[in-house]
Amino acid sequence: MEKDKDYIQQNAITGSEALMLALKAEGVKTIFGYPGGSIMPVYDALYDYTRGEKKAFDHILVRHEQAATHAAEGYARVSGDVGVTIVTSGPGATNTLTGVADAMLDSTPIVVIAGQVPIGALGTDAFQEVDLVGVAQPISKWSYQIRHAEDIAWAVSRAFYIARSGRPGPVVLDFPKNAQTEKVVFKPQKVDFVRSYVAYPTLDMDAVREAAELINNAKKPLALVGQGVELGNAQQELQDFLEKADIPAGRTMLGLSALPSTHPLNVGMLGMHGNYAVNMKEQECDVLIAIGMRFSDRVTGNPKTYAKQAKVIHLDIDKSEIDKNVKTDVAVVADCKESLPAIASLLHPADHREWRESFRPLDEKERAKVIEPAIHPKEGPLLMGEVVNAVAEATEGDAVLVTDVGQNQLFATRYFKYPKKRSICTSGGLGTMGYGMPAAIGATFGVKRREERGEITEERGERREERERTVVCFMGDGGFQMNIQELGTIMEQQAPVKMILMNNNYLGNVRQWQDMFWQRRKSFTRMMNPCYELIAQGYNIPYEAVTERSRLKDAVQKMLDTTGPYILECAIKEDDDVLPMTPPGSNVDDMMLETLSPAPPYKGGK
């Protein structure tokens, strides 16, 4: 017994240092955080692990805890690792909840570790006490309170296993101060099983055969590719599957880089503001193959009329998505990295050239009516589409796209190019304004992480001399100001974020809906904006404003040639509308290629 006590005394460490060792064991390299009273013991331990002989982590001090979670999301999306955030209790913890909800809806693996008052003070309304586990539970994959230091190794390993396995998502760990200061002999644990949690369902070969039979008999098959392909690292398996059976494929907004833009079977983006042909053809195909996507309302429009003519095959790792929004004829519940090659092995080589060619007239119609006027306007103020196109051409497909939310997001995702995997970070399910800037910060560190692993150099082949992929972030004037304080993080880290501020002096997407559906009653959507040049000067970030079309190309190149961060403000036409558009609640084939004639101004009365 005395020997045991001596061993513990000689080998015991604080819970805070045990957390450092547990994070190190999970391969964590980058942490986004903000210190405070209830997490101070952890930050004291972190001091030694960010410098000197013990150095294991880079800690990025953000300026707001919400930004810490969005940065962790951007890091996770680009690197493929779990993003990590450390914050204090009370408001520090609650400030992360928007990012937690965002990560939950977009299946992004992050772990949020928040300080908490000591367990002896729980329930006393102590200073900065919040029931974090309770409030986080409905919007996270798992939330748990680490009440004692002896639970740290298990809880951290379990958190990372849950966050990254199966359908990824956010995990929240509530870390009371007593557990941070208690002594414990740290013993690494590896959790790879959780009772009642089936991360990777067993592939049902009967379902595989049924799916293959439907596809083999299809005359007009259409694949819908979602982010699940990226999350499952099944990009090559997807291409092999599509090519064998000659299946055209549309991509959701989050799945845009799962299939290269230049691939001959890519037929565009799905959804309310997606491409015309693929949306119309959803209502004509005879077999619809959904791969790692959830049939969002922004994709289906009115679900009562969506693809009723088609047999629906749904490949997803999450059984809860099956039949949730669209009735499925064949469900293949498994990791798509496993299910895609299994189905492909049973497919007959096919030639659907006539079906694919039927997309072409619709594509040409959209190009003439929408795309060319948007990216090559002849006169008038700058348009968002031409700004996005200018950046896309200048980066030659070698950039990661990050967007905020609104018209900037819709134009950017439509007109950017995605030749490489993991090339897009945007808030899909939650639509979080303020996401863009911090997510772009995280993306720059995600690029760095992939460089360290040699992945980006390998992708480039002969272009090995180019080290980093560029991170470009499109934001509107509304979203830019929602987390504008993160310019301080960019300044301190010299994070090489190329920020394109598309300023139209409006909350543009809401303004468009008000013009189209609310009788042009622009209720509180016009914005008085600050002088962004002075703000850039205050943060010592290079800046240029573009108001003339003739200056755009040179200004974009100057931004890309400048080392480190950059703000390029573009003065955008105030009533620039995103088209095509399926009106909310309408059928997919009601998609409009031109703006409806606005209703007369509202004059009051009944």
Side-chain angles (χ1 to χ4, degrees):
M1 186 66 71
E2 289 300 321
K3 287 184 178 180
D4 290 343
K5 287 181 180 179
D6 289 342
Y7 179 81
I8 290 172
Q9 288 176 354
Q10 292 172 13
N11 295 277
I13 57 176
T14 66
S16 296
E17 187 164 2
L19 175 65
M20 299 297 107
L21 296 177
L23 293 176
K24 187 177 178 181
E26 293 297 330
V28 173
K29 299 295 183 182
T30 305
I31 297 168
F32 304 91
Y34 201 96
S38 290
I39 199 68
M40 207 171 293
V42 167
Y43 268 85
D44 185 68
L46 186 60
Y47 184 89
D48 290 331
Y49 283 83
T50 55
R51 66 202 70 214
E53 294 180 2
K54 285 186 177 181
K55 179 173 170 58
F57 316 116
D58 290 317
H59 177 273
I60 313 305
L61 176 66
V62 296
R63 300 312 191 253
H64 191 283
E65 292 90 352
Q66 179 188 344
T69 50
H70 293 327
E73 288 184 274
Y75 178 84
R77 290 268 194 96
V78 174
S79 70
D81 293 345
V82 177
V84 178
T85 294
I86 299 179
V87 298
T88 195
S89 65
T94 57
N95 280 343
T96 68
L97 294 177
T98 297
V100 172
D102 192 278
M104 187 67 176
L105 283 171
D106 285 352
S107 303
T108 305
I110 65 172
V111 171
V112 175
I113 301 166
Q116 181 59 279
V117 301
I119 59 172
L122 291 173
T124 68
D125 290 332
F127 179 66
Q128 295 190 333
E129 178 196 354
V130 169
D131 179 10
L132 181 60
V133 171
V135 296
Q137 197 164 17
I139 57 171
S140 63
K141 203 173 171 187
W142 185 50
S143 60
Y144 180 76
Q145 187 174 79
I146 306 174
R147 297 174 68 87
H148 297 286
E150 63 190 27
D151 298 327
I152 291 170
W154 168 84
V156 170
S157 183
R158 193 177 199 263
F160 276 78
Y161 172 67
I162 291 173
R164 65 163 65 102
S165 63
R167 180 180 184 173
V171 170
V172 175
L173 293 178
D174 195 37
F175 198 15
K177 205 167 185 178
N178 63 286
Q180 299 175 40
T181 57
E182 286 173 0
K183 292 296 186 77
V184 65
V185 176
F186 179 77
K187 295 180 180 178
Q189 293 198 30
K190 189 65 177 175
V191 174
D192 55 11
F193 171 79
V194 175
R195 188 165 57 90
S196 78
Y197 169 56
V198 181
Y200 300 98
T202 302
L203 184 63
D204 182 346
M205 290 307 298
D206 287 337
V208 167
R209 283 186 282 272
E210 288 180 47
E213 184 177 0
L214 279 178
I215 297 169
N216 282 331
N217 291 322
K219 303 299 182 186
K220 298 179 177 180
L222 179 62
L224 312 182
V225 177
Q227 188 192 197
V229 173
E230 294 257 71
L231 296 173
N233 294 310
Q235 296 90 345
Q236 188 59 53
E237 287 81 359
L238 172 70
Q239 290 190 46
D240 294 343
F241 168 84
L242 296 174
E243 289 166 4
K244 185 170 184 181
D246 196 29
I247 303 171
R251 303 157 298 157
T252 67
M253 182 181 287
L254 294 184
L256 282 170
S257 61
L259 181 69
S261 303
T262 53
H263 195 285
L265 292 174
N266 164 42
V267 289
M269 185 171 81
L270 303 163
M272 177 181 280
H273 292 287
N275 293 109
Y276 186 59
V278 66
N279 278 276
M280 300 298 284
K281 292 297 183 177
E282 286 177 287
Q283 303 295 75
E284 186 183 334
C285 66
D286 57 0
V287 174
L288 194 69
I289 309 143
I291 307 167
M293 55 88 72
R294 58 189 178 87
F295 286 114
S296 159
D297 59 293
R298 288 295 173 101
V299 167
T300 65
N302 181 2
K304 293 180 181 179
T305 62
Y306 179 73
K308 292 302 178 184
Q309 80 292 341
K311 295 290 186 182
V312 177
I313 302 168
H314 195 171
L315 280 62
D316 207 288
I317 200 168
D318 185 355
K319 188 177 181 180
S320 72
E321 290 297 342
I322 305 300
D323 294 332
K324 186 174 81 174
N325 296 325
V326 171
K327 180 65 178 174
T328 300
D329 293 283
V330 178
V332 184
V333 182
D335 187 341
C336 60
K337 196 170 183 69
E338 181 183 11
S339 60
L340 282 170
I343 297 172
S345 69
L346 301 177
L347 296 181
H348 306 318
D351 183 353
H352 295 296
R353 189 176 315 164
E354 184 177 347
W355 164 236
R356 287 189 287 104
E357 286 296 318
S358 72
F359 285 68
R360 191 180 299 277
L362 299 176
D363 285 333
E364 291 172 352
K365 187 176 182 180
E366 180 187 357
R367 174 156 287 278
K369 279 185 168 288
V370 178
I371 297 175
E372 281 301 317
I375 65 175
H376 296 129
K378 299 286 192 273
E379 57 187 6
L382 286 170
L383 302 181
M384 288 194 186
E386 68 175 313
V387 173
V388 174
N389 185 63
V391 176
E393 288 185 348
T395 53
E396 299 179 334
D398 199 31
V400 174
L401 170 69
V402 184
T403 82
D404 208 83
V405 166
Q407 287 185 317
N408 66 91
Q409 174 188 40
L410 302 171
F411 276 110
T413 52
R414 275 183 56 81
Y415 295 119
F416 214 71
K417 303 295 186 291
Y418 312 91
K420 297 182 175 71
K421 63 184 180 181
R422 295 193 176 275
S423 292
I424 180 170
C425 297
T426 193
S427 175
L430 199 62
T432 306
M433 287 182 68
Y435 170 93
M437 194 185 300
I441 295 169
T444 63
F445 286 94
V447 166
K448 179 181 176 183
R449 178 70 177 128
R450 292 192 65 202
E451 281 286 1
E452 291 170 351
R453 295 196 296 247
E455 294 173 6
I456 293 176
T457 302
E458 183 179 340
E459 284 178 2
R460 286 193 171 126
E462 72 278 4
R463 298 173 61 193
R464 292 175 183 272
E465 74 283 355
E466 298 182 36
R467 291 292 299 162
E468 290 188 354
R469 291 181 67 187
T470 304
V471 174
V472 297
C473 181
F474 290 91
M475 294 173 278
D477 42 319
F480 186 89
Q481 293 181 77
M482 278 209 171
N483 267 315
I484 196 170
Q485 75 285 335
E486 294 312 309
L487 290 173
T489 307
I490 291 173
M491 173 183 66
E492 182 174 351
Q493 298 296 330
Q494 281 300 292
V497 180
K498 310 304 183 184
M499 294 166 275
I500 301 95
L501 169 57
M502 301 204 281
N503 187 356
N504 58 9
N505 298 302
Y506 270 98
L507 299 175
N509 213 40
V510 184
R511 190 275 311 154
Q512 179 174 337
W513 284 41
Q514 288 172 337
D515 277 354
M516 296 175 72
F517 310 121
W518 293 90
Q519 299 173 304
R520 297 190 295 192
R521 287 160 56 86
K522 297 182 179 65
S523 181
F524 301 102
T525 46
R526 185 165 179 83
M527 298 187 71
M528 178 182 288
N529 283 314
C531 176
Y532 292 110
E533 182 176 10
L534 292 178
I535 290 171
Q537 287 177 10
Y539 286 102
N540 198 28
I541 295 174
Y543 163 95
E544 183 173 356
V546 178
T547 58
E548 301 295 331
R549 182 163 291 113
S550 59
R551 283 282 308 127
L552 179 60
K553 183 176 180 180
D554 289 343
V556 168
Q557 194 58 54
K558 181 180 176 183
M559 173 185 71
L560 297 175
D561 290 341
T562 301
T563 302
Y566 199 97
I567 299 173
L568 179 64
E569 181 182 359
C570 300
I572 299 296
K573 181 184 179 187
E574 290 189 348
D575 60 350
D576 192 10
D577 288 340
V578 188
L579 291 168
M581 180 178 187
T582 302
S586 298
N587 304 331
V588 169
D589 46 1
D590 290 335
M591 178 171 257
M592 307 178 306
L593 288 173
E594 52 193 355
T595 305
L596 290 173
S597 297
Y602 182 75
K603 296 181 180 179
K606 294 183 180 179

